[in-house]
Amino acid sequence: MKFPLSWLNDWIDLESVSTEAIAKALTLGGIEVDKIETSNLGFFGVVVGYITEVRQHPDAERLRIATVTDGADEFQVVCGATNCRAGIKTAFAKVGAKLTADGKEFKIKKGKLRGVESHGMLCAASELGLEGPSEGIMELDAEVGQDLNSLYADTIFDVSLTPNLGHCTSIMGIARDLSALLERPFHEPSFQIDMCNDTSALGLAIADGEKCPRYFCKIVKGVKVSASPAWMQSRLEACGVRSINNIVDATNYVMLERGQPLHAFDLDKIENGEIRIRSDIKQEQFEALDGANHSIEDGMLMVCDGKKPIAIAGIIGGANSEVDENTKNILLEAAVFHGPSVRKTSKKLGMRTEASLRFEKGVDPLGLQTAIERCAALIGGKIAKETLCQIKQEAKPKEITCRLSRINSLLGTKLSLGDVEQIFSQLQIQARSDDIDTFIVSVPTFRGDIGAEIDLVEEVGRIFGYDRIEKKKELIPPSRIPPSPMYLLENRIRTIFRGEGLSEFLTCNLIGPTDLSFVEYPDLLVSVMHPSSIDQSILRPSLLPGMMGCLKYNIDHQNHNVSAFEIGRIHYKENTGYAEKTAAGLLICGQVSPHTINPKPRFVDFSDVKGMIENLFEGLNLDRIRFEPSSSKLLHPGRQASIQRGDFALGIIGQVHPALSSTPTFFAEVNLDEILRLWSSHNNKQMTPLPQFPGSMRDWTIQLKEECSIAQVFDLIDKYKSPLLENVHLLDLYRADQISKNITLRFAYRHHKKTLPSEAVDREHSRLTEKVVAEIAPFTSS
C-alpha cells in the first residue's frame, strides 16, 4: 500500500518528525515500510498559468495564440490543443524550463510557430510525465503562479500490511496507529456538506442479510462530470490509483482515506426506482466496468435495480450503470459485505479489486454514514438530506476482559494500570479497570482483528515497543563446546531420509541366537558376558537383524508397505580387539504407492533403494559414488553391490536373500565413520553465481562389453577432464543381449569468461572422447 506524507499530515501533525523516524515507528508497530521515495517529476520551471485570452493563428487553422499570465507577467504562447481557451488554469512551461521526453532532458526556448513568437509551452499531462488525459493541455484547480513541483512532489511511503491489519488499509487507520506510536494527537479533518430537502423516492431492500448486513445510499443530483482537482489527482496518483473523473475519483479518495469502499451509480440508469441486494441470480452474463463479461452463479451477491444486476457486490460495478460524461444524477453506495463471501466470488471470477481486498479484511460498520457524506461533499451538487439505509445486523463494540498480570507475564514488562490505560486510549480503545489487575475493554467496531485477550496483549506490546522490552539473561549459558561432527552428520542424514518419506526405527543393540541367520560372519560376533536374557546376549554386527525384526512385526500386523531407516552402533571383533562403528541402515519393501492412490501399484525394486542412497550422498555433497558387484551371502546374488568412493568402501546395498525374506525386501547399510572422513572436508560448500555465458551439449554413444562397468568410463573422463567440461551424466542405457551394452553420455561444456564457438566445443569433445576410447579399447565391442 502506498500513501503520501502530505495526506498523513492532515490527520497528525508531523511537521517536526523526520521521514526516518516515521518509517521506524511504523515498522516497529507492525506496519513494515518497504520503501520511501520522493515522487520524481521529470520537469523543472513549470508553473500554473492562467489563460486570459485566446485568438486564432492567422496562418494555421489548428493553432491558437494564447495570452498567459503567471500572476506577475503576461506571455504570448502558441498552442495547438483543442481545449486551449480563455478562463482556464493550465501547466505553463516558461522559457528556460526543463522537460523530459523519452529519457532525454530538453530546455524550453523562445521560438516561432508559423511566423508568430511563442514564449513558452502549455503542457499536457503526458508531456510532464503525469497521469491524466493524453489529449489537450492540463486543466488545473490551483493558485496561479504555483510551481507544479510543489503541487505534485511528495514523500511516498510503500508499506506491507499483514492480513490482520485491515484497519490500516486507509490513511485514517495508519494515522490512528502512528499517533499512538509517536504519542502525538490524532485529529480527524472536518468537512462541510450542504444538503437539500430532496426526498426522491427510491426503494431499498436487502434479500440476503448474512452477506450484506448493512447498506447505505445517498442521492446527489445536478453533478457535472469533469476532471478532478489537481490536488486530488496528485494524491490518488501517489497511491498508485489512476485518475478517471471527479465522481469516480471521489469514491476512490474516500476509500483510501477511510478504508470504506464506495461506488457511484448513474441514477437515471437505475430502473423501476429500486435497489435490491440479492444472491439468487443464476447463470447470467454480466458486463463489468473493466469491459469483461462475467458469468454470475447462484450464491454470488449482486446489487440489482428493479430489472437487472448493476454491480457485483463488493468487487466491481456494471457497465449498465456506469457514470459517464452525460451523467447528471448519481446514487452513492456504502455498504458492509461479508468478507468470506466477497473473497469466494472474487476467486471464482478471477478478479481482485481494491474494494474487494478491503471487504475481505473487514470494514467499520459504523463508518458508512461519515464515508458517504464525505464523498458527497467532495462531489458537490444537490445532495439529498436523507440517507437511505437498511440494517440487518446491529453493530456494537465488543467487551473483553484483560488482565494486567497476563500482559506483563507474556511481554516480560512491568507496566502499570495507568500505562496500559494510556496505550488503549491512544488507540481509541476504551478501557476501565475493575480492580488492581483487571480491565473491561470496549473494542471499537473498526478493530475487527481484536477478538480475545491475547489480541489486546499484542496491541500493548506493539505500541509500547518490542524494542523497549528488556531482554532477560539466560539462566543456563549455552555450551561453548562445538557439536560433535558425528552428531551433525547423523542429524543431516536423518533430515535427508525423512525427506525421502522414511520412518525411523529404533532397535536394541543386542540380538539373540535366533537372529544369527542375518549375520554374515558369526566368528566376529561379540558376546555379552552376563546377559539378562538369551535374546540379548550378542552385540549386533549390523543393523539388518534389528530392522528385519521390525519388518516381521509390521507384516504380522498386516502392514506390508514399510520404508524405514535406522542410525545406530554396530560391534564386531577386529584383529585382536573390538570395534564399534556408527552405521545408517535403510530398508524398504512392499508397494511404492497404495492401491488407493494408484490402481496398479508398483512394488519397490533395486532402483528405488539405489536412488535413495544416491540422494543421500548428493545431500551430503559427496559425488563420484560407484556401485560395484559384491558377494554378500545375506543378499540376492544378482541384486547387490558395494558402495565405493575412490579407495573408501562406504557400505553395501541389495535385495535381502529370498531364503531370509519371502517378501522382496531391499536393504542398504553405510559406514558413517568412513563417510565422516569424506564429509568433514566437503560440508563447507558455498553458493556460486549462476553462469553468465551459455553452455553447449554433446551426446556420445559407445558400445561396451558387459563386464565393463559404466563407472570405469566415468573414471577415465575424470582422468582426462577438460577445463571446459562442466558436467557429464548417463543419458541412456540399452542392452540387446547379455554380451554387450550401449551407453549414451551427455557432456556439458562451458567457458566461464566467454561464449564458446561450436567449433571449439567440437574439437574439445573429440579430443576427450578419443583419449577415453584409446584407453578403454579392450572393453569395447566391435
Side-chain angles (χ1 to χ4, degrees), residues 3-220:
F3 59 88
L5 178 60
S6 59
W7 203 347
L8 207 58
N9 260 312
D10 291 349
W11 300 76
I12 325 172
D13 181 11
L14 299 172
E15 194 67 34
S16 59
V17 186
S18 68
T19 302
E20 291 73 18
I22 295 171
K24 182 180 179 181
L26 289 172
T27 301
L28 290 176
I31 306 169
E32 185 177 352
V33 177
D34 294 330
K35 188 190 299 183
I36 304 174
E37 56 187 15
T38 302
S39 51
N40 185 20
L41 303 179
F43 57 85
F44 172 78
V46 182
V47 301
V48 177
Y50 180 73
I51 302 176
T52 58
E53 181 185 358
V54 174
R55 63 185 187 275
Q56 184 65 42
H57 193 291
D59 297 325
E61 183 181 348
R62 296 185 177 182
L63 296 180
R64 295 173 176 79
I65 303 171
T67 302
V68 184
T69 178
D70 65 353
D73 300 305
E74 287 191 343
F75 304 87
Q76 177 177 286
V77 181
V78 179
C79 179
T82 56
N83 65 330
C84 179
R85 62 189 187 278
I88 67 169
K89 300 174 185 177
T90 188
F92 174 38
K94 297 193 289 186
V95 174
K98 294 179 181 179
L99 275 64
T100 304
D102 299 326
K104 295 182 180 180
E105 187 178 82
F106 66 93
K107 193 173 183 179
I108 301 296
K109 299 178 182 179
K110 177 182 174 182
K112 282 189 177 182
L113 289 171
R114 292 287 188 94
V116 177
E117 287 190 350
S118 181
H119 298 265
M121 174 181 174
L122 302 182
C123 305
S126 58
E127 292 170 326
L128 299 179
L130 301 174
E131 292 285 341
S134 57
E135 298 293 331
I137 58 177
M138 297 180 71
E139 297 186 29
L140 303 173
D141 180 11
E143 183 181 348
V144 175
Q146 184 177 357
D147 191 329
L148 255 68
N149 269 282
S150 65
L151 184 64
Y152 283 93
D154 205 343
T155 300
I156 300 171
F157 291 87
D158 191 351
V159 300
S160 294
L161 298 176
T162 52
N164 64 312
L165 294 178
H167 65 287
C168 288
T169 55
S170 64
I171 299 296
M172 180 173 67
I174 290 175
R176 189 186 288 118
D177 271 20
L178 189 59
S179 72
L181 292 163
L182 296 177
E183 297 184 4
R184 284 179 167 254
F186 171 87
H187 52 86
E188 184 173 342
S190 59
F191 60 90
Q192 296 290 328
I193 179 168
D194 297 323
M195 292 185 280
C196 64
N197 293 322
D198 192 337
T199 57
S200 300
L202 186 73
L204 173 63
I206 300 175
D208 192 335
E210 285 293 323
K211 294 179 180 177
C212 179
R214 286 175 173 244
Y215 193 91
F216 285 46
C217 55
K218 184 178 282 291
I219 293 173
V220 182

Side-chain angles (χ1 to χ4, degrees), residues 508-516 519 522 524-528 531 533-541 571:
C508 184
N509 281 26
L510 300 171
I511 60 176
T514 55
D515 299 313
L516 293 182
V519 175
L524 298 182
L525 292 176
V526 180
S527 298
V528 177
S533 70
I534 191 66
D535 292 331
Q536 295 183 341
S537 59
I538 305 167
L539 289 169
R540 64 183 177 190
H571 314 264

Side-chain angles (χ1 to χ4, degrees), residues 600-674:
K600 295 181 180 180
R602 176 179 66 81
F603 285 88
V604 296
D605 56 22
F606 183 84
S607 299
D608 292 304
V609 68
K610 179 175 178 287
M612 290 180 180
I613 292 298
E614 287 173 336
N615 289 343
L616 169 65
F617 284 104
E618 184 178 347
L620 295 175
N621 294 323
L622 297 178
D623 52 7
R624 296 300 183 207
I625 302 300
R626 302 196 314 275
F627 296 89
E628 298 184 352
S630 61
S631 56
S632 173
K633 298 177 182 178
L634 302 178
L635 302 178
H636 191 294
R639 298 174 187 168
Q640 61 172 287
S642 64
I643 306 169
Q644 304 280 335
R645 188 181 188 277
D647 298 331
F648 291 92
L650 304 181
I652 195 165
I653 180 175
Q655 179 181 345
V656 177
H657 201 287
L660 301 176
S661 176
S662 58
T663 302
T665 303
F666 294 88
F667 173 76
E669 184 173 280
V670 292
N671 187 331
L672 298 192
D673 291 272
E674 294 294 334

Side-chain angles (χ1 to χ4, degrees), residues 86-386:
I88 67 169
K89 300 174 185 177
T90 188
F92 174 38
K94 297 193 289 186
V95 174
K98 294 179 181 179
L99 275 64
T100 304
D102 299 326
K104 295 182 180 180
E105 187 178 82
F106 66 93
K107 193 173 183 179
I108 301 296
K109 299 178 182 179
K110 177 182 174 182
K112 282 189 177 182
L113 289 171
R114 292 287 188 94
V116 177
E117 287 190 350
S118 181
H119 298 265
M121 174 181 174
L122 302 182
C123 305
S126 58
E127 292 170 326
L128 299 179
L130 301 174
E131 292 285 341
S134 57
E135 298 293 331
I137 58 177
M138 297 180 71
E139 297 186 29
L140 303 173
D141 180 11
E143 183 181 348
V144 175
Q146 184 177 357
D147 191 329
L148 255 68
N149 269 282
S150 65
L151 184 64
Y152 283 93
D154 205 343
T155 300
I156 300 171
F157 291 87
D158 191 351
V159 300
S160 294
L161 298 176
T162 52
N164 64 312
L165 294 178
H167 65 287
C168 288
T169 55
S170 64
I171 299 296
M172 180 173 67
I174 290 175
R176 189 186 288 118
D177 271 20
L178 189 59
S179 72
L181 292 163
L182 296 177
E183 297 184 4
R184 284 179 167 254
F186 171 87
H187 52 86
E188 184 173 342
S190 59
F191 60 90
Q192 296 290 328
I193 179 168
D194 297 323
M195 292 185 280
C196 64
N197 293 322
D198 192 337
T199 57
S200 300
L202 186 73
L204 173 63
I206 300 175
D208 192 335
E210 285 293 323
K211 294 179 180 177
C212 179
R214 286 175 173 244
Y215 193 91
F216 285 46
C217 55
K218 184 178 282 291
I219 293 173
V220 182
K221 292 187 175 182
V223 300
K224 181 181 180 181
V225 178
S226 61
S228 297
W231 62 267
M232 182 181 289
Q233 293 185 35
S234 174
R235 285 189 170 179
L236 290 176
E237 288 159 10
C239 296
V241 177
R242 182 172 61 91
S243 175
I244 298 174
N245 57 51
N246 59 328
I247 308 298
V248 177
D249 288 357
T251 61
N252 287 333
Y253 187 88
V254 174
M255 177 185 69
L256 295 171
E257 182 182 69
R258 297 176 178 272
Q260 173 60 53
L262 299 109
H263 187 68
F265 300 101
D266 187 324
L267 182 63
D268 298 322
K269 296 177 183 178
I270 295 175
E271 300 185 67
N272 289 0
E274 57 182 354
I275 294 291
R276 298 287 181 266
I277 318 301
R278 303 165 49 192
S279 59
D280 57 352
I281 297 175
K282 301 178 182 179
Q283 297 298 327
E284 181 170 332
Q285 289 295 313
F286 178 76
E287 184 183 356
L289 288 174
D290 60 359
N293 283 310
H294 302 278
S295 296
I296 305 304
E297 301 176 6
D298 187 18
M300 292 184 178
L301 192 66
M302 303 294 294
V303 180
C304 307
D305 62 15
K307 289 187 177 181
K308 62 187 182 298
I310 57 175
I312 304 174
I315 300 176
I316 195 169
N320 55 12
S321 59
E322 179 182 7
V323 172
D324 55 31
E325 64 275 8
N326 300 315
T327 298
K328 303 298 180 185
N329 307 306
I330 62 172
L331 178 71
L332 288 177
E333 166 200 270
V336 176
F337 297 120
H338 187 233
S341 171
V342 171
R343 179 167 176 78
K344 184 178 179 181
T345 301
S346 175
K347 292 195 72 174
K348 279 188 176 181
L349 298 177
M351 181 195 316
R352 298 193 80 187
T353 60
E354 289 293 328
S356 69
L357 290 172
R358 284 165 173 79
F359 281 121
E360 288 172 21
K361 293 177 183 292
V363 298
D364 181 11
L366 299 185
L368 304 187
Q369 183 69 31
T370 305
I372 205 168
E373 289 182 355
R374 169 66 165 151
C375 185
L378 289 171
I379 294 171
K382 294 175 63 179
I383 304 168
K385 186 174 183 180
E386 179 188 7

